[in-house]
Amino acid sequence: MAVAAALAVGLIVGLVVGWSGKAHAEACGPAPKAGVGSADEWLGRIHEEPDNISVLVDNGVGGVAERRGDEQQPIASAVKVVHLAAYARAVAAGTLDPQERVPVAEWERWYLPGTDGGAHEHARSRLPGDSVTIAEMVSAMIRESDNATPDYLRNRLGDQALIDAAAAGGWQGFVPPSLLGMMIRLSEPGVDAWAAAQRYANDPLYRVAVQSRPIPSFDAQLAWVETTHAASARQLTALHRSLATGAFGAGADIARAQLEWQEPPAGYAAIGFKGGSLVGVLTDAIYLRRTDGTVATAVLLNRRMPGETWLAAMKELREQELLFQAMVEPAALAQLTCAL
Protein backbone atom coordinates (compact mmCIF):
# COMPACT_ATOMS: atom_id res chain seq x y z
CA MET A 1 0.00 0.00 0.00
CA ALA A 2 1.27 3.45 -0.83
CA VAL A 3 1.89 6.13 1.75
CA ALA A 4 -1.19 8.26 2.37
CA ALA A 5 -0.31 11.54 4.00
CA ALA A 6 -1.73 14.39 1.97
CA LEU A 7 -5.22 15.68 1.47
CA ALA A 8 -5.28 18.51 -1.03
CA VAL A 9 -7.61 21.48 -0.78
CA GLY A 10 -8.73 22.27 -4.30
CA LEU A 11 -12.02 24.13 -3.82
CA ILE A 12 -13.06 27.28 -2.06
CA VAL A 13 -16.42 26.76 -0.39
CA GLY A 14 -18.80 28.47 2.02
CA LEU A 15 -18.34 31.99 0.71
CA VAL A 16 -21.66 33.09 2.09
CA VAL A 17 -22.11 36.86 2.22
CA GLY A 18 -24.62 36.41 5.04
CA TRP A 19 -22.01 35.28 7.59
CA SER A 20 -23.64 34.98 11.03
CA GLY A 21 -21.13 37.48 12.43
CA LYS A 22 -22.24 37.04 16.05
CA ALA A 23 -18.87 38.26 17.18
CA HIS A 24 -18.19 41.18 14.93
CA ALA A 25 -18.95 44.09 17.20
CA GLU A 26 -17.72 47.67 17.02
CA ALA A 27 -15.13 47.05 19.74
CA CYS A 28 -13.20 43.96 20.75
CA GLY A 29 -15.09 41.81 23.20
CA PRO A 30 -14.48 38.30 24.53
CA ALA A 31 -13.10 35.91 21.95
CA PRO A 32 -15.66 33.48 20.52
CA LYS A 33 -15.53 29.81 21.43
CA ALA A 34 -12.72 28.13 19.52
CA GLY A 35 -13.63 25.57 16.87
CA VAL A 36 -13.80 24.91 13.15
CA GLY A 37 -17.54 24.63 12.58
CA SER A 38 -18.18 28.28 11.76
CA ALA A 39 -16.42 31.51 10.88
CA ASP A 40 -16.96 32.73 14.44
CA GLU A 41 -15.38 29.59 15.88
CA TRP A 42 -12.37 30.16 13.63
CA LEU A 43 -11.98 33.59 15.20
CA GLY A 44 -11.68 31.81 18.53
CA ARG A 45 -9.13 29.35 17.11
CA ILE A 46 -7.05 32.13 15.64
CA HIS A 47 -7.08 33.93 18.99
CA GLU A 48 -6.00 30.77 20.85
CA GLU A 49 -3.27 29.66 18.42
CA PRO A 50 -0.88 32.63 18.00
CA ASP A 51 2.14 30.38 17.44
CA ASN A 52 0.57 28.12 14.83
CA ILE A 53 -1.72 30.33 12.75
CA SER A 54 -0.34 33.01 10.45
CA VAL A 55 -2.80 35.44 8.87
CA LEU A 56 -2.44 38.24 6.36
CA VAL A 57 -5.56 39.91 4.96
CA ASP A 58 -5.34 43.04 2.79
CA ASN A 59 -8.69 44.31 1.59
CA GLY A 60 -7.03 46.43 -1.11
CA VAL A 61 -8.62 49.66 0.09
CA GLY A 62 -6.43 50.43 3.08
CA GLY A 63 -7.42 47.74 5.57
CA VAL A 64 -4.89 45.13 6.72
CA ALA A 65 -4.98 42.43 9.40
CA GLU A 66 -1.72 40.60 9.99
CA ARG A 67 -0.06 38.25 12.41
CA ARG A 68 3.27 36.47 11.85
CA GLY A 69 3.20 37.48 8.20
CA ASP A 70 6.89 36.73 7.69
CA GLU A 71 7.09 33.43 9.59
CA GLN A 72 7.79 30.29 7.58
CA GLN A 73 5.25 27.46 7.90
CA PRO A 74 4.44 24.34 5.85
CA ILE A 75 2.10 25.31 3.00
CA ALA A 76 1.32 21.97 1.31
CA SER A 77 -0.34 22.35 -2.11
CA ALA A 78 -0.54 26.12 -1.90
CA VAL A 79 3.00 26.07 -3.35
CA LYS A 80 1.52 25.05 -6.71
CA VAL A 81 0.81 28.69 -7.52
CA VAL A 82 4.55 28.97 -8.26
CA HIS A 83 4.40 26.10 -10.75
CA LEU A 84 1.38 27.78 -12.31
CA ALA A 85 3.28 31.07 -12.59
CA ALA A 86 6.24 29.34 -14.26
CA TYR A 87 3.91 27.60 -16.71
CA ALA A 88 2.21 30.91 -17.51
CA ARG A 89 5.53 32.65 -18.19
CA ALA A 90 6.64 29.83 -20.48
CA VAL A 91 3.37 29.96 -22.43
CA ALA A 92 3.58 33.75 -22.73
CA ALA A 93 7.17 33.46 -23.97
CA GLY A 94 6.18 30.88 -26.59
CA THR A 95 8.45 28.16 -25.16
CA LEU A 96 5.58 25.93 -24.04
CA ASP A 97 2.44 25.11 -26.01
CA PRO A 98 -0.53 24.77 -23.64
CA GLN A 99 -2.36 22.67 -26.24
CA GLU A 100 0.44 20.12 -26.56
CA ARG A 101 -0.99 16.70 -25.82
CA VAL A 102 0.73 14.56 -23.21
CA PRO A 103 0.06 10.82 -22.82
CA VAL A 104 -1.61 10.10 -19.49
CA ALA A 105 1.09 7.48 -18.91
CA GLU A 106 3.72 10.25 -19.06
CA TRP A 107 1.74 12.38 -16.61
CA GLU A 108 1.31 9.45 -14.23
CA ARG A 109 5.02 8.65 -14.09
CA TRP A 110 5.00 11.43 -11.45
CA TYR A 111 1.94 10.13 -9.58
CA LEU A 112 2.07 8.22 -6.29
CA PRO A 113 -1.37 6.72 -5.64
CA GLY A 114 -2.99 7.28 -2.27
CA THR A 115 -1.15 10.49 -1.38
CA ASP A 116 -3.41 13.28 -2.63
CA GLY A 117 -6.84 12.62 -1.17
CA GLY A 118 -8.12 11.31 -4.49
CA ALA A 119 -7.25 14.50 -6.38
CA HIS A 120 -5.68 12.75 -9.37
CA GLU A 121 -8.57 10.32 -9.73
CA HIS A 122 -11.06 13.16 -9.63
CA ALA A 123 -9.07 15.01 -12.27
CA ARG A 124 -9.03 11.94 -14.49
CA SER A 125 -12.81 11.67 -14.17
CA ARG A 126 -13.06 15.24 -15.47
CA LEU A 127 -10.35 14.65 -18.10
CA PRO A 128 -10.91 11.16 -19.54
CA GLY A 129 -8.93 9.64 -22.38
CA ASP A 130 -5.39 8.47 -23.08
CA SER A 131 -3.91 11.96 -23.38
CA VAL A 132 -4.44 15.45 -22.01
CA THR A 133 -3.20 18.88 -22.93
CA ILE A 134 -0.65 20.61 -20.73
CA ALA A 135 -3.29 23.26 -19.99
CA GLU A 136 -5.62 20.52 -18.79
CA MET A 137 -2.88 19.08 -16.56
CA VAL A 138 -2.38 22.53 -15.07
CA SER A 139 -6.12 22.84 -14.49
CA ALA A 140 -5.96 19.54 -12.56
CA MET A 141 -3.13 20.97 -10.45
CA ILE A 142 -5.25 23.99 -9.52
CA ARG A 143 -8.81 22.67 -9.41
CA GLU A 144 -8.44 19.18 -7.97
CA SER A 145 -4.91 19.84 -6.62
CA ASP A 146 -3.27 16.99 -8.52
CA ASN A 147 0.24 16.30 -7.18
CA ALA A 148 1.75 14.82 -10.35
CA THR A 149 1.60 17.98 -12.46
CA PRO A 150 3.98 20.13 -10.36
CA ASP A 151 6.83 17.65 -10.70
CA TYR A 152 6.07 17.17 -14.39
CA LEU A 153 6.37 20.93 -14.84
CA ARG A 154 9.53 21.15 -12.75
CA ASN A 155 11.11 18.42 -14.86
CA ARG A 156 9.93 20.08 -18.07
CA LEU A 157 10.74 23.72 -17.26
CA GLY A 158 13.69 23.42 -14.89
CA ASP A 159 14.32 24.80 -11.42
CA GLN A 160 15.37 28.24 -12.60
CA ALA A 161 12.02 28.79 -14.27
CA LEU A 162 10.30 28.22 -10.93
CA ILE A 163 12.74 30.44 -9.06
CA ASP A 164 12.35 33.22 -11.62
CA ALA A 165 8.56 32.99 -11.64
CA ALA A 166 8.40 33.26 -7.87
CA ALA A 167 10.73 36.25 -7.94
CA ALA A 168 8.62 37.94 -10.62
CA GLY A 169 5.76 37.76 -8.16
CA GLY A 170 7.74 39.19 -5.27
CA TRP A 171 8.65 35.86 -3.66
CA GLN A 172 12.42 35.96 -3.32
CA GLY A 173 14.61 32.98 -2.46
CA PHE A 174 12.16 30.32 -3.60
CA VAL A 175 13.49 26.75 -3.29
CA PRO A 176 11.69 24.37 -5.70
CA PRO A 177 10.07 21.43 -3.90
CA SER A 178 9.18 17.99 -5.19
CA LEU A 179 5.75 16.93 -4.03
CA LEU A 180 6.38 13.37 -5.21
CA GLY A 181 9.81 13.27 -3.59
CA MET A 182 8.38 14.72 -0.40
CA MET A 183 5.97 11.79 -0.22
CA ILE A 184 8.71 9.26 -0.96
CA ARG A 185 10.81 10.78 1.81
CA LEU A 186 8.01 10.00 4.26
CA SER A 187 8.65 6.29 3.82
CA GLU A 188 12.35 6.66 2.94
CA PRO A 189 13.77 9.21 5.41
CA GLY A 190 16.94 11.01 4.38
CA VAL A 191 16.52 10.50 0.65
CA ASP A 192 17.04 13.49 -1.65
CA ALA A 193 13.47 14.35 -2.62
CA TRP A 194 14.05 15.45 -6.21
CA ALA A 195 16.48 12.63 -6.96
CA ALA A 196 13.96 10.14 -5.57
CA ALA A 197 11.16 11.65 -7.65
CA GLN A 198 13.21 11.41 -10.83
CA ARG A 199 14.13 7.82 -10.02
CA TYR A 200 10.46 7.00 -9.40
CA ALA A 201 9.50 8.53 -12.75
CA ASN A 202 12.18 6.64 -14.67
CA ASP A 203 12.59 3.32 -12.84
CA PRO A 204 9.47 1.09 -12.93
CA LEU A 205 10.87 -1.32 -10.35
CA TYR A 206 11.55 1.48 -7.88
CA ARG A 207 8.08 2.84 -8.55
CA VAL A 208 6.49 -0.50 -7.65
CA ALA A 209 8.63 -0.75 -4.52
CA VAL A 210 7.59 2.70 -3.32
CA GLN A 211 3.92 2.03 -4.00
CA SER A 212 4.06 -1.19 -1.97
CA ARG A 213 5.29 0.41 1.25
CA PRO A 214 2.97 0.54 4.28
CA ILE A 215 1.43 3.76 5.51
CA PRO A 216 3.62 5.37 8.21
CA SER A 217 2.03 6.09 11.58
CA PHE A 218 0.17 9.32 12.23
CA ASP A 219 2.90 10.48 14.61
CA ALA A 220 5.54 9.80 11.96
CA GLN A 221 3.56 11.86 9.49
CA LEU A 222 3.24 14.75 11.96
CA ALA A 223 7.02 14.83 12.43
CA TRP A 224 7.58 14.60 8.67
CA VAL A 225 5.22 17.50 7.93
CA GLU A 226 7.54 19.84 9.85
CA THR A 227 10.25 19.10 7.25
CA THR A 228 8.13 19.81 4.16
CA HIS A 229 8.33 22.94 2.00
CA ALA A 230 7.40 26.15 3.76
CA ALA A 231 6.65 29.79 3.01
CA SER A 232 5.33 32.88 4.72
CA ALA A 233 1.91 34.43 4.39
CA ARG A 234 3.60 37.49 2.88
CA GLN A 235 5.33 35.45 0.16
CA LEU A 236 2.09 33.76 -0.88
CA THR A 237 0.25 37.08 -0.73
CA ALA A 238 2.84 38.79 -2.93
CA LEU A 239 2.57 36.20 -5.70
CA HIS A 240 -1.22 36.04 -5.68
CA ARG A 241 -1.54 39.83 -5.62
CA SER A 242 0.96 40.26 -8.46
CA LEU A 243 -0.97 37.78 -10.62
CA ALA A 244 -4.30 39.38 -9.77
CA THR A 245 -3.15 42.95 -10.50
CA GLY A 246 -1.01 42.06 -13.52
CA ALA A 247 2.14 43.38 -11.84
CA PHE A 248 3.60 39.90 -12.40
CA GLY A 249 4.08 40.77 -16.05
CA ALA A 250 3.78 38.50 -19.07
CA GLY A 251 1.67 35.45 -18.30
CA ALA A 252 -0.41 36.99 -15.50
CA ASP A 253 -3.58 36.65 -17.57
CA ILE A 254 -2.76 33.00 -18.32
CA ALA A 255 -2.33 32.20 -14.65
CA ARG A 256 -5.49 34.08 -13.73
CA ALA A 257 -7.49 32.04 -16.23
CA GLN A 258 -6.56 28.93 -14.24
CA LEU A 259 -6.96 30.39 -10.74
CA GLU A 260 -10.29 32.05 -11.52
CA TRP A 261 -12.18 28.96 -12.64
CA GLN A 262 -14.91 29.42 -10.03
CA GLU A 263 -17.77 31.89 -10.39
CA PRO A 264 -17.18 35.05 -8.34
CA PRO A 265 -19.78 36.40 -5.94
CA ALA A 266 -22.25 38.84 -7.46
CA GLY A 267 -20.75 42.27 -7.97
CA TYR A 268 -17.13 41.09 -8.18
CA ALA A 269 -14.99 40.55 -11.27
CA ALA A 270 -13.21 37.36 -10.22
CA ILE A 271 -12.05 35.17 -7.36
CA GLY A 272 -8.80 33.20 -7.40
CA PHE A 273 -7.80 30.49 -4.97
CA LYS A 274 -5.19 27.84 -4.21
CA GLY A 275 -5.14 26.05 -0.91
CA GLY A 276 -3.53 22.95 0.44
CA SER A 277 -3.38 20.48 3.28
CA LEU A 278 -1.09 17.90 4.82
CA VAL A 279 -1.53 16.07 8.11
CA GLY A 280 -2.11 18.80 10.69
CA VAL A 281 -1.64 21.56 8.11
CA LEU A 282 -4.27 23.72 6.42
CA THR A 283 -3.45 26.56 4.02
CA ASP A 284 -5.64 29.05 2.16
CA ALA A 285 -4.57 31.73 -0.32
CA ILE A 286 -7.36 33.78 -1.91
CA TYR A 287 -7.66 36.92 -3.97
CA LEU A 288 -10.71 38.87 -5.01
CA ARG A 289 -10.74 41.25 -7.99
CA ARG A 290 -13.32 44.00 -7.82
CA THR A 291 -14.91 45.64 -10.81
CA ASP A 292 -13.21 48.94 -9.89
CA GLY A 293 -9.78 47.32 -10.31
CA THR A 294 -8.90 46.96 -6.62
CA VAL A 295 -7.70 43.60 -5.35
CA ALA A 296 -8.18 42.02 -1.93
CA THR A 297 -6.01 39.14 -0.73
CA ALA A 298 -6.21 36.74 2.20
CA VAL A 299 -3.76 34.06 3.34
CA LEU A 300 -4.05 31.77 6.35
CA LEU A 301 -1.41 29.22 7.35
CA ASN A 302 -2.29 26.73 10.10
CA ARG A 303 0.13 24.07 11.35
CA ARG A 304 0.23 21.49 14.18
CA MET A 305 -3.51 20.97 14.21
CA PRO A 306 -4.70 18.04 16.36
CA GLY A 307 -5.89 15.16 14.21
CA GLU A 308 -9.61 15.43 14.99
CA THR A 309 -9.56 19.20 14.59
CA TRP A 310 -7.75 18.94 11.28
CA LEU A 311 -10.17 16.36 9.89
CA ALA A 312 -13.16 18.43 10.98
CA ALA A 313 -11.65 21.59 9.49
CA MET A 314 -11.06 19.81 6.19
CA LYS A 315 -14.70 18.78 6.10
CA GLU A 316 -16.09 22.22 6.93
CA LEU A 317 -13.55 24.68 5.43
CA ARG A 318 -15.30 27.50 7.29
CA GLU A 319 -12.08 29.48 7.62
CA GLN A 320 -12.52 30.36 3.95
CA GLU A 321 -15.80 32.06 4.80
CA LEU A 322 -14.05 34.07 7.51
CA LEU A 323 -11.27 35.15 5.15
CA PHE A 324 -13.69 36.13 2.42
CA GLN A 325 -15.76 38.25 4.78
CA ALA A 326 -12.62 39.94 6.10
CA MET A 327 -11.75 40.92 2.53
CA VAL A 328 -15.12 42.50 1.81
CA GLU A 329 -16.62 43.70 5.11
CA PRO A 330 -14.80 46.29 7.28
CA ALA A 331 -16.55 45.01 10.40
CA ALA A 332 -15.36 41.47 9.74
CA LEU A 333 -11.81 42.71 9.15
CA ALA A 334 -11.99 44.62 12.44
CA GLN A 335 -13.15 41.50 14.28
CA LEU A 336 -10.34 39.46 12.76
CA THR A 337 -7.91 42.12 13.95
CA CYS A 338 -9.36 41.70 17.43
CA ALA A 339 -8.74 37.96 17.26
CA LEU A 340 -5.11 38.51 16.33
Side-chain angles (χ1 to χ4, degrees), residues 302-320:
N302 197 169
R303 65 183 177 184
R304 300 169 185 165
M305 300 175 73
E308 290 185 3
T309 302
W310 175 70
L311 289 171
M314 289 297 303
K315 180 179 179 181
E316 299 288 342
L317 295 176
R318 305 308 288 183
E319 84 288 353
Q320 296 178 356

Side-chain angles (χ1 to χ4, degrees), residues 204-271:
L205 293 179
Y206 182 65
R207 191 179 312 139
V208 170
V210 171
Q211 292 178 3
S212 67
R213 293 172 183 166
I215 300 173
S217 70
F218 187 80
D219 287 344
Q221 293 181 41
L222 285 176
W224 159 82
V225 160
E226 295 290 327
T227 72
T228 60
H229 52 274
S232 70
R234 196 175 313 282
Q235 288 169 325
L236 275 174
T237 295
L239 183 49
H240 277 270
R241 180 169 287 278
S242 73
L243 291 172
T245 63
F248 179 79
D253 57 334
I254 297 168
R256 285 198 303 265
Q258 293 282 1
L259 288 168
E260 297 173 1
W261 64 278
Q262 298 172 94
E263 285 295 320
Y268 295 91
I271 188 166

Side-chain angles (χ1 to χ4, degrees), residues 101-108 124 127-133 136-137:
R101 299 203 69 84
V102 177
V104 167
E106 173 66 17
W107 182 13
E108 293 185 340
R124 289 290 292 123
L127 303 168
D130 296 331
S131 68
V132 291
T133 67
E136 288 173 333
M137 291 172 63

Side-chain angles (χ1 to χ4, degrees), residues 26-323:
E26 288 79 8
C28 295
K33 175 185 175 182
V36 297
S38 70
D40 288 322
E41 288 184 3
W42 264 96
L43 285 173
R45 281 206 78 246
I46 290 169
H47 179 73
E48 290 189 1
E49 293 282 340
D51 295 329
N52 293 323
I53 301 178
S54 297
V55 177
L56 178 52
V57 177
D58 182 342
N59 67 10
V61 290
V64 177
E66 178 181 352
R67 183 175 72 197
R68 299 177 64 251
D70 293 311
E71 296 294 322
Q72 297 283 309
Q73 290 194 193
I75 62 168
S77 289
V79 75
K80 294 169 185 173
V81 69
V82 177
H83 300 78
L84 171 64
Y87 156 84
R89 278 168 59 96
V91 171
T95 59
L96 189 67
D97 179 2
Q99 298 309 310
E100 176 189 332
R101 299 203 69 84
V102 177
V104 167
E106 173 66 17
W107 182 13
E108 293 185 340
R109 288 197 304 127
W110 303 94
Y111 171 55
L112 177 54
T115 61
D116 64 358
H120 185 78
E121 288 85 351
H122 291 147
R124 289 290 292 123
S125 294
R126 181 171 62 86
L127 303 168
D130 296 331
S131 68
V132 291
T133 67
I134 295 178
E136 288 173 333
M137 291 172 63
V138 170
S139 77
M141 179 179 72
I142 300 302
R143 297 188 188 194
E144 288 88 8
S145 207
D146 167 65
N147 278 350
T149 302
D151 277 24
Y152 173 88
L153 290 173
R154 179 179 177 182
N155 187 66
R156 183 77 181 263
L157 300 175
D159 285 5
Q160 196 60 49
L162 299 177
I163 294 168
D164 292 346
W171 182 340
Q172 304 298 327
F174 179 75
V175 178
S178 169
L179 278 76
L180 170 58
M182 171 185 77
M183 292 299 175
I184 295 173
R185 186 163 48 77
L186 174 57
S187 62
E188 193 176 342
V191 70
D192 178 273
W194 185 226
Q198 291 174 307
R199 181 182 177 190
Y200 180 96
N202 294 298
D203 183 344
L205 293 179
Y206 182 65
R207 191 179 312 139
V208 170
V210 171
Q211 292 178 3
S212 67
R213 293 172 183 166
I215 300 173
S217 70
F218 187 80
D219 287 344
Q221 293 181 41
L222 285 176
W224 159 82
V225 160
E226 295 290 327
T227 72
T228 60
H229 52 274
S232 70
R234 196 175 313 282
Q235 288 169 325
L236 275 174
T237 295
L239 183 49
H240 277 270
R241 180 169 287 278
S242 73
L243 291 172
T245 63
F248 179 79
D253 57 334
I254 297 168
R256 285 198 303 265
Q258 293 282 1
L259 288 168
E260 297 173 1
W261 64 278
Q262 298 172 94
E263 285 295 320
Y268 295 91
I271 188 166
F273 172 77
K274 186 70 200 85
S277 180
L278 292 168
V279 169
V281 170
L282 182 62
T283 301
D284 293 290
I286 311 168
Y287 70 75
L288 184 68
R289 291 198 294 117
R290 300 186 180 93
T291 54
D292 65 4
T294 59
V295 170
T297 52
V299 171
L300 181 145
L301 312 180
N302 197 169
R303 65 183 177 184
R304 300 169 185 165
M305 300 175 73
E308 290 185 3
T309 302
W310 175 70
L311 289 171
M314 289 297 303
K315 180 179 179 181
E316 299 288 342
L317 295 176
R318 305 308 288 183
E319 84 288 353
Q320 296 178 356
E321 180 181 344
L322 170 62
L323 295 174

